[in-house]
């Protein structure tokens, strides 16, 4: 079920757009498979046991953790007993690049509930997507999500969806996340992103209390915690753009981090690269646009940045049926 998530593959999509032409997405960037953190994961469930479905989760991370200079390993293990019969909803994955609240996402999970006309949406971050709760200068959890952090968040979210699909309630989801918290905290540092993903699963796939959970509103609820923290200056800028409206936009720090992590010139046309360099030098976003076609369709969205469209990183994902 989840094996595809563990493949060390990622790519970034760039495209170009104008007022008169449709969005063009070009999967032109690859990503190295030499990640600093290795994921070892085993999932097993035994259906129709006497008392329900047995869910066994075993996840080991190995790498250089915060504050360490040498590699180490740590494991999360948990077993959950879930009701027989599961729940009446279908989960499908849409790999279309998506921008929502000015933030790019690698994929969405569509949650179709039996007997309901509404479709819930869970937004999945990926490699080279923006994390407004990230910390500038952090060795693991910066504004730009890397492959290891993307894989870890996707893995935990996928496991949470399996629990939800087999009748697990919010308590079961909380237990799963609590068991894995030390891995995210020690090797990735994206605790706020982990909390946002947990809230999405519970609200959309478990309680069905809403069709989506706004990342922008999640950031707004925490903005007071970041006051005076220079590592979250980009968070403040993003939040201000969201409040000012009509469309939120990522701060220049996100694009600076992308430029610092990899050579983007080989993935762009000469004109695109000149515009990208101009963006960084002027430290401003001159144009931003977001288009949503609704939950029933594939999102066709874009952030236009001085003629460049950064859509998203595409990560190996999974299918739940």
């Amino acid at each position: 079920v989840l094996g595809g998530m563990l493949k060390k593959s990622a790519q970034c999509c760039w495209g170009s757009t104008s007022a008169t032409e449709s969005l063009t997405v070009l999967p032109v960037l690859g990503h190295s498979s030499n990640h600093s953190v290795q994921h070892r994961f085993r999932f097993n469930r035994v259906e129709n046991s006497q008392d329900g479905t047995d869910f066994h989760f075993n996840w080991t991370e190995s790498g250089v953790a915060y504050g360490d200079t040498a590699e180490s390993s740590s494991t999360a293990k948990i077993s959950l007993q879930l009701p027989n019969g599961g729940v009446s909803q279908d989960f499908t994955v849409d790999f279309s690049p998506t921008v929502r609240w000015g933030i790019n996402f690698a994929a969405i999970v569509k949650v179709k509930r039996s007997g309901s006309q509404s479709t819930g949406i869970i937004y999945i971050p990926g490699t080279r997507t923006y994390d407004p709760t990230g910390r500038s200068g952090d060795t693991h959890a910066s504004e730009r999500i890397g492959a290891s952090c993307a894989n870890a968040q996707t893995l935990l979210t996928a496991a949470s969806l399996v629990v939800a699909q087999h009748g697990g309630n919010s308590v079961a989801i909380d237990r799963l996340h609590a068991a894995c918290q030390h891995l995210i905290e020690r090797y990735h540092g994206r605790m706020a992103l982990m909390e946002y993903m947990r809230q999405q699963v519970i609200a959309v796939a478990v309680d069905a209390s809403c069709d989506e959970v706004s990342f922008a509103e999640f950031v707004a609820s925490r903005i007071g915690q970041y006051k005076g923290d220079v590592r979250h200056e980009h968070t403040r800028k993003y939040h201000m753009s969201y409040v000012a409206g009509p469309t939120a936009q990522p701060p220049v720090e996100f694009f600076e981090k992308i430029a610092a992590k990899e050579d983007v010139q080989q993935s762009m046309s000469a004109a695109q690269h000149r515009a990208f360099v101009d963006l960084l030098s002027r430290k401003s976003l001159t144009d931003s646009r977001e288009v949503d076609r609704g939950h029933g369709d594939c999102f066709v969205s874009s952030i236009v940045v001085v003629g460049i469209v950064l859509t998203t990183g595409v990560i190996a994902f999974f299918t739940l049926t």
Side-chain angles (χ1 to χ4, degrees), residues 164-237:
Q165 195 173 43
H166 288 84
N169 57 18
S170 61
V171 174
I173 301 296
D174 287 346
R175 287 185 59 196
L176 174 63
H177 278 243
C180 299
Q181 178 174 326
H182 69 285
L183 297 183
I184 300 296
E185 189 170 29
R186 186 177 183 189
Y187 293 100
H188 302 285
R190 298 189 187 274
M191 300 302 297
L193 182 58
M194 174 184 174
E195 172 61 17
Y196 173 63
M197 301 308 295
R198 184 193 71 86
Q199 289 188 19
Q200 284 196 93
V201 172
I202 291 177
V204 177
V206 177
D207 296 339
S209 58
C210 62
D211 289 339
E212 65 177 17
V213 177
S214 169
F215 203 175
E217 289 297 329
F218 176 85
V219 171
S221 71
R222 306 171 66 92
I223 198 67
Q225 303 176 25
Y226 303 139
K227 185 178 181 179
D229 189 340
V230 296
R231 300 173 303 173
H232 285 287
E233 177 66 14
H234 76 97
T235 308
R236 185 188 66 81
K237 291 178 181 178

Side-chain angles (χ1 to χ4, degrees), residues 69-148:
T69 56
E71 288 194 0
S72 60
S73 297
S74 187
T75 299
K77 293 182 179 180
I78 188 171
S79 293
L80 300 171
Q81 196 169 78
L82 306 175
N84 276 322
V87 293
S88 299
Q89 57 187 8
D90 293 322
F91 298 161
T92 57
V93 181
D94 187 340
F95 293 97
S96 302
T98 301
V99 175
R100 191 75 169 103
W101 314 291
I103 300 169
N104 57 332
F105 294 92
I108 59 174
V109 177
K110 295 182 178 181
V111 182
K112 181 63 178 177
R113 307 173 185 114
S114 178
S116 173
Q117 297 299 315
S118 67
T119 299
I121 300 292
I122 295 174
Y123 296 88
I124 307 297
T127 305
R128 303 181 187 89
T129 61
Y130 175 53
D131 180 4
T133 65
R135 299 181 293 273
S136 295
D138 194 286
T139 55
H140 294 302
S142 71
E143 308 91 334
R144 169 196 178 275
I145 298 178
S148 291

